[in-house]
Amino acid sequence: MKLLTVILTVILDIIPSGKAFLEQLQQRDSVLIADQVEYGFSLEGLKKGTEIALQDFAELSNDTLSLVRNWKFDTLKVNKKQQLTDIKASVVLAPFEEGIYELPPIYVLKKYAGTEDTLEFEGCSMEVKTIPVDTATFEVKDIKGQIKYPLTFREVLPWLAGMVLLVALVVLGVVLIKRYRRKKGLEPVPDEPAYLLALRRLEHFRNDKYWVADKQKGFYSGVTDTLKDYLEARFGVDAPEMTTAELFAALKDKQGLSPEIYESARDLFERADFVKFAKYVASDEDNAKVLPVAVNVVTSTIEEKPEN
């Protein structure tokens, strides 16, 4: 269906076709200033191929009655079997002064199969109101803020339960992590001597499964890192941040570290460097000596011998 919007200049054979409709876009009991209203008509049973021409409502727009939107068509119903269509067409108007507006009738030129008909839809009256203000008693007041209602325990309860659950999960996570680290010998027991911590961590590596080629790097790194932490606590050197050469230069002539233990520890660290950085694969014989040497370094340098 071809729809055209033109200014009707000639009106032929006017056919009364009912009354135009007037509907508010904002649902109120009455039309207020600046409210938008939809003004238009409905046609039923249009046959396929019908052409529609409408008058241009832009000429109605002025300071008191503004045209917000010109003609718009909406399809209400389609009968595919009989090829009939129901449509609705409307404009949107906005009044800016109170009073009674007499809206003009709507003329529609309909063309079908070479015949033309002019349909007339009776115009509507529109009463526009404004909110009355008593100027004698009117007083300008400040804008009030939002009303704040007191919180109830039922509203707060879900938040409290969520916070308690979150704290419980955090505490549980910390406890599980500490338990795991203590089990693996990675976390000291409070007030535990450094030598006990080192021996416990070294015990973790007492298994030949760490000797396989793809695990040797982790094996030697774990043992030497344990010894570095112990040597830092025992002799006051920054062992974790030192290279092997720097470490043993700092340990040289330290009281409590015999030459034999010094040499065996340096040999262990140098072999570990080859494994970690030069992709050297140590023999089973060398691997078997790692833990005894490391344990001997710790037990031979304990500052105060334990009673048990």
Side-chain angles (χ1 to χ4, degrees), residues 285-299:
E285 183 180 357
D286 289 337
N287 293 332
K289 297 177 182 178
V290 171
L291 279 181
V293 170
V295 171
N296 194 30
V297 170
V298 176
T299 57

Side-chain angles (χ1 to χ4, degrees), residues 13-290:
D13 301 328
I14 297 177
I15 302 174
S17 302
K19 191 171 183 179
F21 67 82
L22 182 67
E23 296 178 357
Q24 292 176 261
L25 296 183
Q26 303 91 352
Q27 296 301 318
R28 307 179 193 274
D29 294 335
S30 58
V31 180
L32 301 179
I33 290 178
D35 278 356
Q36 294 185 0
V37 295
E38 190 177 22
Y39 181 55
F41 65 93
S42 299
L43 279 177
E44 298 180 355
L46 288 179
K47 297 180 181 180
K48 184 177 180 181
T50 302
E51 296 181 4
I52 298 293
L54 301 172
Q55 60 191 112
D56 190 355
F57 260 61
E59 59 188 18
L60 290 179
S61 185
N62 51 49
D63 293 339
T64 60
L65 185 63
S66 176
L67 178 66
V68 178
R69 190 204 71 210
N70 219 325
W71 290 106
K72 177 183 176 182
F73 290 86
D74 291 314
T75 301
L76 303 179
K77 183 180 179 182
V78 176
N79 188 330
K80 293 183 179 180
K81 185 176 181 180
Q82 299 181 4
Q83 296 186 338
L84 299 177
T85 305
D86 297 347
I87 66 167
K88 179 180 79 169
S90 64
V91 296
V92 175
L93 306 173
F96 288 94
E97 282 189 10
E98 64 177 324
I100 297 177
Y101 292 78
E102 296 293 341
L103 300 180
I106 300 173
Y107 295 98
V108 180
L109 180 62
K110 184 178 72 169
K111 298 180 180 181
Y112 177 74
T115 62
E116 296 183 1
D117 292 317
T118 301
L119 309 180
E120 179 186 14
F121 293 89
E122 184 181 348
C124 299
S125 295
M126 176 176 64
E127 183 178 4
V128 179
K129 299 181 179 179
T130 186
I131 300 176
V133 178
D134 187 351
T135 56
T137 60
F138 177 73
E139 181 181 354
V140 179
K141 297 182 179 180
D142 293 336
I143 299 176
K144 294 184 179 180
Q146 294 182 342
I147 299 176
K148 296 182 179 180
Y149 294 95
L151 289 174
T152 63
F153 180 73
R154 179 177 296 180
E155 293 173 328
V156 177
L157 182 60
W159 295 95
L160 292 177
M163 293 178 62
V164 171
L165 179 60
L166 179 61
V167 172
L169 291 175
V170 172
V171 172
L172 178 62
V174 172
V175 170
L176 293 177
I177 292 174
K178 286 188 174 182
R179 182 177 299 177
Y180 173 79
R181 291 177 64 86
R182 288 180 180 177
K183 183 178 179 181
K184 296 295 183 180
L186 301 176
E187 183 174 290
V189 178
D191 301 326
E192 185 178 42
Y195 73 88
L196 285 180
L197 172 60
L199 293 176
R200 181 176 290 107
R201 290 175 63 181
L202 290 173
E203 184 67 24
H204 172 67
F205 297 100
R206 194 178 295 280
N207 193 316
D208 58 5
K209 69 179 182 180
Y210 296 105
W211 297 359
V212 295
D214 59 344
K215 291 187 177 181
Q216 283 189 12
K217 184 176 180 179
F219 172 62
Y220 279 88
S221 295
V223 172
T224 53
D225 288 348
T226 300
L227 287 179
K228 282 186 176 183
D229 291 340
Y230 169 72
L231 294 173
E232 180 184 31
R234 173 65 178 84
F235 296 105
V237 294
D238 192 13
E241 302 299 327
M242 293 180 174
T243 64
T244 298
E246 293 171 342
L247 172 60
F248 284 92
L251 290 174
K252 192 172 184 179
D253 300 328
K254 284 285 185 181
Q255 186 177 0
L257 184 63
S258 66
E260 294 81 6
I261 298 299
Y262 177 88
E263 291 298 331
S264 62
R266 184 168 65 175
D267 180 67
L268 171 59
F269 272 78
E270 289 176 349
R271 188 182 313 117
D273 286 344
F274 278 108
V275 172
K276 291 189 291 183
F277 306 117
K279 297 183 180 180
Y280 172 74
V281 179
S283 64
D284 288 347
E285 183 180 357
D286 289 337
N287 293 332
K289 297 177 182 178
V290 171

